[in-house]
Amino acid sequence: MGLPWWPGSLLCSSCGDGRLRWALGPCSHRKMAQEEGVSLAEVRARVGASHGITDLAPKLHFYDSWAPDYDQDVATLQYRAPRLAVDCLSQAFPGLPHDALILDVACGTGLVAAELQARGFSQLHGVDGSPGMLEQARARSLYQHLSLCTLGQELLPSPEGTFDAVLMVGALSDGQVPCTAIPELLRVTKPGGLVCLTTRTNPSNLRYKEALEATLDGLEQARVWQRLVAWPVDRWELATSELEVGPNTLTEGFISGIVYLYRKVEVTQVEGVRSNQQPPVGL
């Protein structure tokens, strides 16, 4: 059964955030950019440069140097993936206990953890391949445990079946986490646990997205997990260059993205059908 959207009149006029405009005021993304005096052109150049780095070692070096400015820059671009992913997880499964053990893979500075904490979740672990990003994440004091780990080059530092939910937001693209690392996320997820993933769907990332979906579908065909949600989002973040904007870009230079939510199959589970591929309520 499909779930309803917020009425369009209640969405933030700047970024489409699912918040009550009259209650919360202007979008925090645009407000932060105005307060900091950040040049959108500068941010687009910096973030666009990161999208163009496809080798792992230079990518990690870039993230180390970018870490102190990361939050400010992605706010300027109205980057919504952390909030969208956590909303998808928490609203698709409102019964997920607040003491659920959650792993944030490629956690960066901790934007996903901030969204999780805002919804009452407190048992958070994080891993990232950039020491600079981990330093910023540690300063938030939101994680119970943080580890340096470059997924795709090494295994996650957790036993099999550890976490109730695993999220990986913003790291599925060329030069970051390879599609071949997806089964490692499943390994550390408990049977019946949840895996939430995001990727960009604009033209410059379509080749990676096709390979990713082949991997996701292959794991579902192998009956190791079940897709619950595949939610396309038009207003993902502002494009950093004309090369990122396709002919189907809808408004104001935003690129698109997608949120996936899967449940790891339990050994005794009877094979079922996909339960819901509609966006969660309130988004």
Side-chain angles (χ1 to χ4, degrees):
M1 179 177 178
L3 298 172
W5 293 82
W6 282 112
S9 60
L10 298 182
L11 299 180
C12 169
S13 60
S14 295
C15 72
D17 239 342
R19 304 180 303 163
L20 294 181
R21 198 167 49 190
W22 53 268
L24 296 179
C27 169
S28 60
H29 302 128
R30 182 164 292 181
K31 183 179 179 183
M32 180 181 292
Q34 292 170 343
E35 290 176 349
E36 298 290 341
V38 178
S39 164
L40 181 56
E42 286 181 2
V43 172
R44 278 178 160 154
R46 187 153 52 223
V47 179
S50 77
H51 290 174
I53 302 171
T54 57
D55 292 330
L56 180 61
K59 193 88 163 187
L60 291 175
H61 179 73
F62 177 90
Y63 274 101
D64 280 339
S65 62
W66 189 20
D69 298 317
Y70 179 84
D71 288 3
Q72 174 182 280
D73 285 358
V74 298
T76 301
L77 290 179
Q78 302 180 40
Y79 177 58
R80 304 176 61 216
R83 175 172 293 175
L84 295 171
V86 175
D87 279 349
C88 181
L89 177 70
S90 60
Q91 294 184 27
F93 290 91
L96 189 66
H98 285 166
D99 63 353
L101 188 58
I102 300 176
L103 177 64
D104 181 8
V105 179
C107 65
T109 63
L111 294 178
V112 170
E115 296 291 344
L116 287 165
Q117 187 199 50
R119 290 156 183 78
F121 298 104
S122 59
Q123 300 301 309
L124 311 177
H125 289 207
V127 300
D128 199 275
S130 162
M133 288 287 183
L134 286 174
E135 182 180 351
Q136 298 295 317
R138 191 168 287 109
R140 290 181 184 267
S141 301
L142 297 179
Y143 295 96
Q144 279 62 57
H145 187 72
L146 285 166
S147 300
L148 182 66
C149 174
T150 305
L151 187 60
Q153 301 292 311
E154 54 191 322
L155 299 179
L156 291 168
S158 301
E160 182 175 348
T162 298
F163 297 99
D164 297 293
V166 175
L167 296 93
M168 185 160 58
V169 177
L172 290 171
S173 64
D174 283 331
Q176 293 185 280
V177 177
C179 301
T180 53
I182 298 297
E184 180 62 4
L185 305 179
L186 265 170
R187 182 186 69 81
V188 301
T189 305
K190 292 178 181 178
L194 304 170
V195 180
C196 185
L197 310 170
T198 74
T199 194
R200 292 178 283 117
T201 59
N202 60 304
S204 65
N205 199 51
L206 283 183
R207 184 175 65 176
Y208 182 94
K209 176 180 176 287
E210 289 173 0
L212 173 64
E213 292 203 331
T215 299
L216 304 181
D217 290 346
L219 291 169
E220 188 167 26
Q221 291 168 11
R223 300 184 180 183
V224 297
W225 69 6
Q226 178 187 25
R227 179 181 289 183
L228 304 173
V229 175
W231 173 30
V233 178
D234 292 321
R235 302 169 70 93
W236 193 256
E237 65 178 347
L238 289 171
T240 61
S241 72
E242 291 183 1
L243 295 176
E244 289 194 340
V245 181
N248 295 323
T249 299
L250 295 182
T251 57
E252 300 182 17
F254 279 83
I255 64 172
S256 56
I258 189 167
V259 182
Y260 303 98
L261 185 64
Y262 287 84
R263 188 198 297 277
K264 183 175 179 178
V265 172
E266 300 186 56
V267 175
T268 58
Q269 180 178 328
V270 177
E271 177 70 7
V273 298
R274 295 180 179 180
S275 62
N276 174 30
Q277 294 192 51
Q278 301 298 319
V281 64
L283 299 176

